[in-house]
Amino acid sequence: MADRNMVARVAVAAVAIPTLFGVVWLGGWPLALLVAAAAALGARELLGIGAAAGIRGHAPLALGAAAAWPLLAYLETTRWPESAASAAMLALVAALWVVVVLTATLARRTPQERPLEAAALTVLAPLYAGLLPGTLLAIRHASHPMRDWAGTWLVFFPLVTTWVCDSVAMQVGRAVGGAKLAPTVSPGKTWSGTIGGFVGALAVAPVFVLLVFRPLGVPVGFGAALAIAGTVGVMGQVGDLVESLVKRQAGVKDSSHLIPGHGGVLDRLDSLYFVLPLATILYHLFGII
């Protein structure tokens, strides 16, 4: 069964990663729509986890808002940059949406139907599954046009670092074992795997600088790359644990069975939900985008 699961994982990755690479390179609305679709699916899965825990969010509001966040992020980055008016309008739209969620809760939930949790889940789902991964659009298009290699690799640096971190953490944890990292949340994770994953993430940085960023003329030095990779190596694993915590409350193993061998969208993107916003911030702080 384990071997069959691994074959499914490899087969999905063999198709998904080149496809993702092509869409990221293309950029623009195709990329924005792909992220929006993933956001809606992720929000749907989070609502499903909530339902398993007895909390019924407002699905139409949550899914619509989740899909809207990446599209707004793309417009904010490419159509309304440096516009105070657009930022103020987005804040007003967000405020209005919260009012709508609370009004819907009043209309559709009784006090016995956990209205506070229903409203909170409806607000959280699009922020978690839509706003956080939507920062990928800022990385891709803050300084680079469509069909651009530099912008593509700036996106893939935190992605590849996360994938390496996860893979090394799993292999080291299985080989070395030892003390558990968070036994009540994720019993399989060990401190040895966590440290191994962090070291693996750091190892990606010089490889990218020498083989990717310098040949493309992307202004990422060793210090900045190590800082970003180190942040990814820590916070990506925190993101993984956060999703495990939520699933454990609901008593579910996977967020869904959408992706063969991988579980659901949340299961695949849990680390990236934390990694992408932080990578975006660090890219800005180091003057890279």
Side-chain angles (χ1 to χ4, degrees), residues 31-48 59-73 121-137 255 258 264-266 269 273 276:
L31 177 59
L33 291 170
L34 176 63
V35 178
L41 291 170
R44 180 175 179 271
E45 291 178 357
L46 189 57
L47 291 178
L61 292 175
L63 271 59
W69 272 117
L71 303 181
L72 290 173
L121 179 60
T122 305
V123 172
L124 174 64
L127 296 178
Y128 179 63
L131 175 63
L132 297 185
T135 53
L136 179 151
L137 279 304
S255 60
L258 179 66
V265 172
L266 296 185
L269 301 184
Y273 288 147
L276 288 170

Side-chain angles (χ1 to χ4, degrees), residues 22 25 54 75 109 113 149-150 176 231:
W25 172 80
L75 290 172
R109 298 290 183 270
E113 292 178 302
W149 290 110
V176 178
T231 301

Side-chain angles (χ1 to χ4, degrees), residues 1 39 48 78 81 102 104 142 160 162 188 198 219 241 251 258 262 267 281:
M1 182 67 176
T78 60
L102 293 174
V160 172
T162 301
F198 177 74
L241 287 173
L258 179 66
H262 290 265
D267 298 320
I281 292 170

Side-chain angles (χ1 to χ4, degrees), residues 4-221:
R4 185 183 304 172
N5 191 54
M6 180 58 67
V7 169
R9 290 170 66 94
V10 171
V12 170
V15 175
I17 292 176
T19 301
L20 177 62
F21 191 89
V23 176
V24 172
W25 172 80
L26 179 61
W29 282 110
L31 177 59
L33 291 170
L34 176 63
V35 178
L41 291 170
R44 180 175 179 271
E45 291 178 357
L46 189 57
L47 291 178
I49 293 173
I55 304 168
R56 294 191 302 117
H58 304 289
L61 292 175
L63 271 59
W69 272 117
L71 303 181
L72 290 173
Y74 175 64
L75 290 172
E76 178 68 21
T77 302
T78 60
R79 302 292 194 272
W80 311 322
E82 310 298 332
S83 172
S86 69
M89 182 59 66
L90 287 177
L92 289 173
V93 169
L96 177 61
W97 179 70
V98 172
V99 170
V100 170
V101 170
L102 293 174
T103 303
T105 303
L106 173 64
R108 299 178 182 179
R109 298 290 183 270
T110 66
Q112 292 72 37
E113 292 178 302
R114 305 172 72 174
L116 178 60
E117 291 97 324
L121 179 60
T122 305
V123 172
L124 174 64
L127 296 178
Y128 179 63
L131 175 63
L132 297 185
T135 53
L136 179 151
L137 279 304
I139 296 176
R140 176 62 183 84
H141 284 296
S143 303
H144 300 279
M146 294 180 65
R147 299 179 179 86
D148 181 82
W149 290 110
T152 300
W153 283 112
L154 283 173
V155 170
F156 267 82
F157 176 43
L159 299 189
V160 172
T161 303
T162 301
W163 297 334
V164 170
C165 177
D166 288 348
S167 298
V168 173
M170 181 182 299
Q171 296 303 320
V172 172
R174 288 176 176 174
V176 178
K180 301 298 183 181
L181 174 64
T184 61
V185 176
S186 184
K189 295 188 183 301
T190 62
W191 276 104
S192 63
T194 299
I195 294 170
F198 177 74
V199 173
L202 291 178
V204 176
V207 174
F208 255 75
V209 171
L210 292 174
L211 300 183
V212 178
F213 291 141
R214 283 189 176 177
L216 289 173
V218 181
V220 181

